[in-house]
Amino acid sequence: MTPPAPARLFGRGSWAEAQRVASVLRKETVGGALLLIGAAIALIWANSPWGESYEALRDARVGPSALHLDLTLGTWAADGLLAIFFFVAGLELKREFVAGDLREPRRAALPIAAAVGGMAVPALFFVLLNLGGAEGALRGWAIPSATDIAFALAVLAVISTHLPSALRTFLLTLAVVDDLLAIVVIAIFYTEQLSVPFLALSLLPLALFGFLVQKRIRSWWLLLPLALLTWVFMHESGVHATVAGVLLAFTVPVVRSEAAGGPDAGPGLAEHFEHRIRPLSAGVAVPVFAFFSAGVAVGGLSGLGESLGDSIAIGIMVGLVAGKAIGITGATWLIQRFTRGQLDESLGWPDVLGLSLLGGMGFTVSLLITELAYGAESEAYEHAKVGILAGTFLAAVLAAVILRLRNRRYKQTYAAETRDVDRDGIPDAWDTVDDRAEHDPDWDGALPPGRTLADTEVDDADPDAAPPASYETVDDEAEHDPDWKGTRPPGRTLGPNGS
């Protein structure tokens, strides 16, 4: 019996998944650009002569005090707007594991292991560098554990690399799993006072929200008040309010029920919500949070040196750069070592290292955990923010260098993934059957084996035979037609000497 072929790590997924991921990444790339703009404005303003006005705006309180919701604008951004971000992340994660390529355990193992390694190793480095440090310094152990997908995609857009679809899909999945693990860490380790009655109350609107969406009721005037109630009760319980966003997302169905027509009747409610809310998350929620959280008064070169010399900042920088690189790359190596998996033939370990460094873009969630760990008014908070910005910048530079050096290979993969010889709208990398006879009215060539035209079977010997698994789509007329005057197809040769 022939043993099964080894699984391909970072192998190309399905065409439907590749299309969906490409659409998501386009929106996140725009969000990443807005995030960079928001962070840059905050940094410039905070270090300008008008820095006090930035702090006054960030610390301005709005909201009803009777409901304990008279929060600063910075807190509203962290607790409120990021709940939208985590709602979208929850939808994405659930869809991946229910209807996406990650429903196959062998494909899900790699991003899950990489996310765990990419959180554990940075946290370990931070702890080692802060043992015996200032009191309370170890509370920030989770700061370098997060990956900011918008920031990573913004870096990819700036360096203009043709990253293969498999690597982009892995990066997105890694960041989403990372976000879920981060919210679990926040809920468990950064909840100081827990009010069980309010936590129980939050489950009531959450359950009603889940009941309505399972019935495919999507009226905003019903769902939005329930979501707000869930958020308010979660906030009052002492658990960070962003947890409400993830829990609400997990109640939304991904696949249509049989009563609603089944999976073939169209996209589920999760995809509908994601399509509507992702632009709000990427274009408004995350950039506004970055604006209110990234502004740190460095205090000139002396202040910058003092911050970078602090053990907290050093631990964060080492965690984001070395920790992420070692954690993600090491987890990938372990998956290959202890399974039958092999790297895809078009990729090498430098690609994995470059992608791991992109995982060091720890911005949005890292800033959130920093505030929870040290408080917004402490010196440790300011030093940690400097460490996050410096570590993220260094990881971005190193990732850019490695990925740009590999860009020639990526261009070849990109050309292969966009080539569509039969012009049926599906690149040949995903559809190797040349079916021009079925969709091109001007096609004069013969039908490919096992295909039909106008309901007439080509294979008369076996009308029920399935179409072949693949069909040659390379135009090799230059190799067998002595009168051929055209150019050679890409990657082919003419003549025995290859000239």
Side-chain angles (χ1 to χ4, degrees):
M1 180 177 179
T2 304
R8 289 289 180 184
L9 303 181
F10 302 103
R12 190 181 293 119
S14 65
W15 169 238
E17 188 73 0
Q19 282 184 302
R20 190 189 68 81
V21 169
S23 175
V24 169
L25 295 186
R26 280 194 296 270
K27 296 174 184 176
E28 291 290 351
T29 300
V30 173
L34 295 175
L35 183 152
L36 290 174
I37 293 172
I41 292 174
L43 279 171
I44 295 171
W45 191 353
N47 290 279
S48 72
W50 306 279
E52 292 183 359
S53 62
Y54 170 82
E55 295 179 1
L57 175 65
R58 181 192 62 198
D59 297 336
R61 289 186 173 273
V62 295
S65 57
L67 298 176
H68 303 100
L69 294 177
D70 52 334
L71 309 175
T72 66
L73 291 178
T75 303
W76 275 113
D79 291 14
L81 291 180
L82 282 195
I84 301 174
F85 167 79
F86 279 110
F87 179 77
V88 174
L91 290 175
E92 173 68 28
L93 188 69
K94 184 176 180 180
R95 191 198 176 285
E96 281 287 347
F97 282 95
V98 172
D101 286 353
L102 296 190
R103 66 184 182 277
E104 302 177 30
R106 65 183 183 87
R107 295 187 68 92
L110 178 59
I112 292 176
V116 172
M119 294 190 73
V121 177
L124 178 61
F125 279 169
F126 182 92
V127 170
L128 292 176
L129 290 169
N130 283 276
L131 284 174
E135 183 180 356
L138 290 177
R139 281 185 53 80
W141 63 270
I143 294 173
S145 298
T147 295
D148 193 313
I149 184 62
F151 220 128
L153 293 174
V155 171
L156 287 178
V158 169
I159 65 177
S160 187
T161 182
H162 295 76
L163 201 67
S165 62
L167 293 184
R168 290 179 180 269
T169 301
F170 173 79
L171 180 62
L172 175 63
T173 308
L174 170 71
V176 172
V177 176
D178 189 293
D179 289 336
L180 177 66
L181 295 177
I183 205 68
V184 172
V185 167
I186 289 172
I188 296 176
F189 296 99
Y190 292 98
T191 298
E192 296 184 352
Q193 294 180 340
L194 179 63
S195 173
V196 176
F198 275 112
L199 183 61
L201 279 175
S202 70
L203 300 179
L204 297 178
L206 174 66
L208 185 54
F209 180 95
F211 173 78
L212 293 177
V213 294
Q214 291 294 329
K215 297 295 184 181
R216 289 194 61 82
I217 296 174
R218 54 188 186 184
S219 302
W220 67 267
W221 52 273
L222 283 174
L223 299 181
L224 187 57
L226 292 173
L228 288 174
L229 278 175
T230 304
W231 181 90
V232 169
F233 289 143
M234 190 70 68
H235 181 273
E236 293 300 299
S237 73
V239 178
H240 199 267
T242 51
V243 175
V246 175
L247 295 178
L248 288 166
F250 282 174
T251 67
V252 181
V254 171
V255 181
R256 287 175 180 257
S257 64
E258 293 300 326
D264 297 331
L269 205 54
E271 187 173 343
H272 171 78
F273 282 165
E274 184 183 344
H275 178 73
R276 293 292 184 89
I277 300 175
R278 186 179 291 278
L280 176 63
S281 171
V284 178
V286 174
V288 170
F289 169 77
F291 170 76
F292 281 113
S293 298
V296 51
V298 177
L301 291 177
S302 61
L304 179 61
E306 180 183 352
S307 295
L308 292 177
D310 185 81
S311 64
I312 291 176
I314 293 174
I316 292 172
M317 289 186 291
V318 172
L320 288 176
V321 180
K324 283 289 185 180
I326 295 173
I328 296 174
T329 305
T332 304
W333 182 85
L334 289 173
I335 289 290
Q336 183 195 47
R337 175 67 177 81
F338 293 104
T339 68
R340 302 189 70 253
Q342 296 179 4
L343 284 182
D344 190 81
E345 59 186 10
S346 64
L347 302 174
W349 287 105
D351 304 303
V352 181
L353 178 61
L355 205 67
S356 301
L357 287 167
L358 274 181
M361 308 290 102
F363 193 77
T364 304
V365 180
S366 292
L367 289 173
L368 174 62
I369 296 177
T370 298
E371 182 174 345
L372 296 175
Y374 301 125
E377 303 299 328
S378 66
E379 187 179 61
Y381 175 66
E382 301 296 325
H383 291 171
K385 287 204 291 186
V386 171
I388 292 171
L389 296 174
T392 297
F393 176 76
L394 182 56
V397 170
L398 293 175
V401 170
I402 293 176
L403 296 178
R404 283 298 299 178
L405 290 174
R406 304 285 290 177
N407 202 36
R408 177 177 297 181
R409 178 182 292 238
Y410 297 157
K411 285 183 178 179
Q412 295 174 354
T413 304
Y414 177 79
E417 291 182 342
T418 55
R419 186 179 299 120
D420 185 13
V421 172
D422 56 2
R423 298 187 296 277
D424 63 352
I426 303 177
D428 301 328
W430 283 274
D431 178 20
T432 58
V433 175
D434 185 345
D435 58 356
R436 275 175 285 186
E438 297 183 6
H439 65 78
D440 187 350
D442 299 323
W443 175 248
D444 295 327
L447 293 172
R451 310 294 287 189
T452 62
L453 181 62
D455 298 325
T456 301
E457 289 286 346
V458 174
D459 188 355
D460 294 328
D462 187 2
D464 298 324
S470 64
Y471 185 72
E472 177 65 61
T473 60
V474 175
D475 185 356
D476 60 355
E477 192 171 358
E479 297 182 9
H480 62 74
D481 186 352
D483 299 323
W484 175 252
K485 303 298 183 182
T487 59
R488 289 169 294 163
R492 310 291 286 192
T493 61
L494 182 60
N497 59 0
S499 60

